[in-house]
Amino acid sequence: MAVKDGKQFHFWYVIVALLAIFWIQDLLTAFGHQTETIPYSRFQTLVQQGKVDDLVIGPALITGAYREPANGAAQRFSTERVDPALAQSLQKDGLTFAGQPPPGVLQSVLGWFLPTLGFLVLWMFLMRPMVMGGLGGELLSIGKSKAKIFVESDVKVTFGDVAGVDEAKAELQEVVAFLKDPASYQRLGAHIPKGILLVGPPGTGKTLLARAVAGEAGVPFFSMSGSEFVEMFVGVGAARVRDLFEQARARSPAIVFIDELDSLGRARGAGLLTGHDEKEQTLNQLLAELDGFDPKSGVVLLGATNRPEVLDPALLRAGRFDRQILVDRPDRRGRCEILALYLKRIKLAPEVKADDVAALTPGFTGADLANLVNEAAIVATRRNADSVTLNDFTQAVERIVVGLEKRNRLLNPHEREVVAYHEMGHALVAMALPGMDPVQKVSIIPRGIGAVGYTIQRPIEDRFLMTRVELVNRMTVLLGGRAAEKLIFDDISTGAADDLVKATELARSMVTRFGMEPSLGQVAYEPERAAHLTPPAGLEWEPRRYGEDTASAIDVAVRKLIDAAFLAAQAILQPQLPLLRQSAAALLEKETLLIDELRRICLALHPAEVASTSV
């Protein structure tokens, strides 16, 4: 590209000019001298007749002039040469024949120019972006960190935006104070922890807490998921770990946050959980970087995981992750604080209090509560309301816990009757037994994927300990639906499938984990294992700690507990058959019984008779 007299001449202008010149040259060659192209057979005839002169014979082309051209006709001619032996043979047969003319200059140039131009266009529009931004870019920057950097102006989350985890916030306040004023902590020889691991269930706010630390301290925030370190090329993850910490040291004080640490720091050599060489090299490099941390550098590593049981022990030892902070599900007070933050974003009815909504949501995490508030606002919008009421929150809880209401799923009359007795069996047993969570709603409207009816119990308070009697009563409530079917229809249905699974798991935990079976002693035969760590069918990660005789005794004890709970449910419902029929008929008529109707039914029960029932 050149510049002349203030005007810019592009490379493509030169190409077009050359093509025009070649095209004009071909035209001049064809028409400039009034040249006629004739077949070679005619040329031979004209030669024999002596009508041509001034011949110019080339390797492929013969040109000449007519001795006696006609008026207005061409004065010269040209013809393509043909092999003499072939021409002689064809002439004997009296055929007309001609040679193949060579391509013109323009045609020759286009023959090599157009493919080249096509390749350049393909490169510019397809290959070049892929190379610069895709595979080629990966190869050129294969060891570079993909960390997303948030500076102070970007990280606007503070501890005021985090609620329900006061203990975790108090621990992290020290990190903020150290990053702001390290001298006040170093005067007595203390140094900031190298690594802090946030542990807790999904949705409890671990990532939000990490961002709040960066926002409070006003330092760069390097955020990266553990899975981003692992690539198909061996050594890439280790290179990215080195690059990430180099960037953090260059901008210290800073915070490095690795989310989903379990994908990077999984235990090495743990049977089925063993990773390949790339993951192990990446973990080894992370351990080396933590060992090389200068406590005075002002770089803090924050990690987050919901699966601490799979982390490598070398990663959790003191000197690497010095602190482990539990970010657990909030209690009722914590849920109330979290809801106070989210309820500001919607138009709330004056009578709705955060504590009332918190009472509906035991076991909900912060993410669940945010979703609940949004669902309640959607429910209120759907009915064209001016504000969100407590009933909207109740419907939102039911939708989240039980599933979407499906009024179009039609059951035949017998099935509806079975479901009504089944659900009222749950409700009556729950209302008859002491210490059970109050029944808030009973419905035979199908919800979710497989639920054709449901009974909702709402806890009065958060519970952290359960006695043996309470666990047995809970199993009895679970089997109350099947007991009602047996008493009314003298038959059982598949509607109790989920109840049986829950009751069996509860009974097995009582026997194998809680030591609540006297015949087996105060022994924990199986450790608690997270649901996502359940081994595939036929495989065991740990050898069984007991023999066949003990396994048989466990099965017998589990069955004994479930059978006793089923008999207890029948014993509760047997004297209340008239009330069971009456309440089931009301449920069939209204499809849903709310707390007021359920209170009247509860007052009709006979506590003296059910109090004597025990397992």
Side-chain angles (χ1 to χ4, degrees), residues 188-203:
L188 297 179
H191 63 81
I192 194 170
K194 288 185 178 181
I196 298 175
L197 182 61
L198 304 177
V199 181

Side-chain angles (χ1 to χ4, degrees), residues 46 69 77 85 122 167 175 199 235 241 264 283 289 311-312 319 363 378 412 464 477 511 551-552 560 572 575 579:
L46 292 174
F77 68 89
L122 181 65
E167 296 81 3
V175 177
V199 181
V241 171
L264 169 64
L283 176 58
E289 291 291 342
L311 294 179
D312 195 284
I378 292 175
N412 62 52
F464 302 99
V477 173
V511 174
S552 178
K560 177 184 175 183
I572 292 172
L579 181 61

Side-chain angles (χ1 to χ4, degrees), residues 203-272:
T204 51
K206 299 182 290 297
T207 303
L208 187 65
L209 269 173
R211 296 196 62 198
V213 173
E216 289 280 348
V219 298
F221 182 57
F222 293 77
S223 173
M224 197 167 181
S225 174
S227 60
E228 294 180 15
F229 288 99
V230 182
E231 293 286 348
M232 63 181 292
F233 303 104
V234 176
V236 175
R240 286 183 176 167
V241 171
R242 288 191 296 269
D243 180 66
L244 176 62
F245 281 90
E246 287 175 3
Q247 292 184 45
R249 291 189 185 97
R251 301 191 60 178
S252 64
I255 291 176
V256 177
F257 175 61
I258 301 179
D259 200 5
E260 304 297 340
L261 185 64
D262 49 274
S263 62
L264 169 64
R266 191 184 296 270
R268 296 164 291 183
L272 293 177

Side-chain angles (χ1 to χ4, degrees), residues 262-459:
D262 49 274
S263 62
L264 169 64
R266 191 184 296 270
R268 296 164 291 183
L272 293 177
L273 296 179
T274 303
H276 51 73
D277 291 340
E278 163 63 7
K279 288 187 177 181
E280 293 195 2
Q281 289 188 19
T282 306
L283 176 58
N284 291 336
Q285 184 61 43
L286 178 61
L287 298 177
E289 291 291 342
L290 289 174
D291 286 338
F293 249 1
D294 182 4
K296 299 180 182 180
S297 64
V299 178
V300 179
L301 175 63
L302 293 179
T305 181
N306 51 29
R307 302 178 64 185
E309 67 279 354
V310 304
L311 294 179
D312 195 284
L315 188 63
L316 299 178
R317 74 162 176 82
R320 286 171 178 156
F321 278 102
D322 293 324
R323 287 187 181 180
Q324 296 186 29
I325 299 177
L326 176 63
V327 187
D328 204 354
R329 299 178 186 271
D331 55 13
R332 181 167 178 170
R333 177 173 171 271
R335 294 196 302 274
C336 187
E337 294 175 357
I338 295 173
L339 285 167
L341 295 176
Y342 291 124
L343 291 178
K344 296 177 182 178
R345 306 175 185 177
I346 64 173
K347 191 173 182 180
L348 200 65
E351 67 274 7
V352 178
K353 307 299 180 184
D355 187 66
D356 297 333
V357 182
L360 301 174
T361 56
F364 276 42
T365 64
D368 296 331
L369 294 174
N371 184 41
L372 170 66
V373 173
N374 184 62
E375 288 289 344
I378 292 175
V379 172
T381 303
R382 189 180 296 126
R383 62 183 181 86
N384 297 321
D386 296 329
S387 60
V388 184
T389 64
L390 186 61
N391 184 56
D392 296 324
F393 283 98
T394 302
Q395 293 186 36
V397 170
E398 293 177 9
R399 178 168 184 173
I400 293 173
V401 175
V402 187
L404 181 65
E405 192 175 80
K406 296 184 177 181
R407 291 185 176 272
N408 293 330
R409 182 184 294 174
L410 300 178
L411 302 178
N412 62 52
H414 178 69
E415 286 181 338
R416 292 183 76 250
E417 188 178 9
V418 171
V419 173
Y421 278 104
H422 182 101
E423 298 303 332
M424 285 311 304
H426 287 307
L428 291 179
V429 174
M431 289 186 289
L433 289 173
M436 290 292 97
D437 298 330
V439 181
Q440 301 293 320
K441 185 176 183 179
V442 181
S443 177
I444 58 172
I445 299 175
R447 279 185 177 267
I449 298 177
V452 292
Y454 57 95
T455 301
I456 296 179
Q457 295 177 256
R458 185 177 303 160

Side-chain angles (χ1 to χ4, degrees), residues 422 426 473-482 499 502-503 506:
H422 182 101
H426 287 307
N473 288 345
R474 183 165 293 187
M475 281 192 300
T476 306
V477 173
L478 287 170
L479 296 173
R482 170 155 286 192
D499 301 330
K502 293 178 180 178
L506 190 56

Side-chain angles (χ1 to χ4, degrees), residues 80-98:
E80 302 298 328
R81 296 187 64 175
V82 180
D83 180 66
L86 178 60
Q88 185 177 4
S89 174
L90 294 174
Q91 190 176 21
K92 289 180 181 181
D93 295 334
L95 300 175
T96 299
F97 54 91

Side-chain angles (χ1 to χ4, degrees), residues 13-25:
Y13 297 162
V14 178
I15 296 297
V16 172
L18 290 176
L19 292 176
I21 292 172
F22 294 145
W23 179 64
I24 293 172
Q25 182 179 356

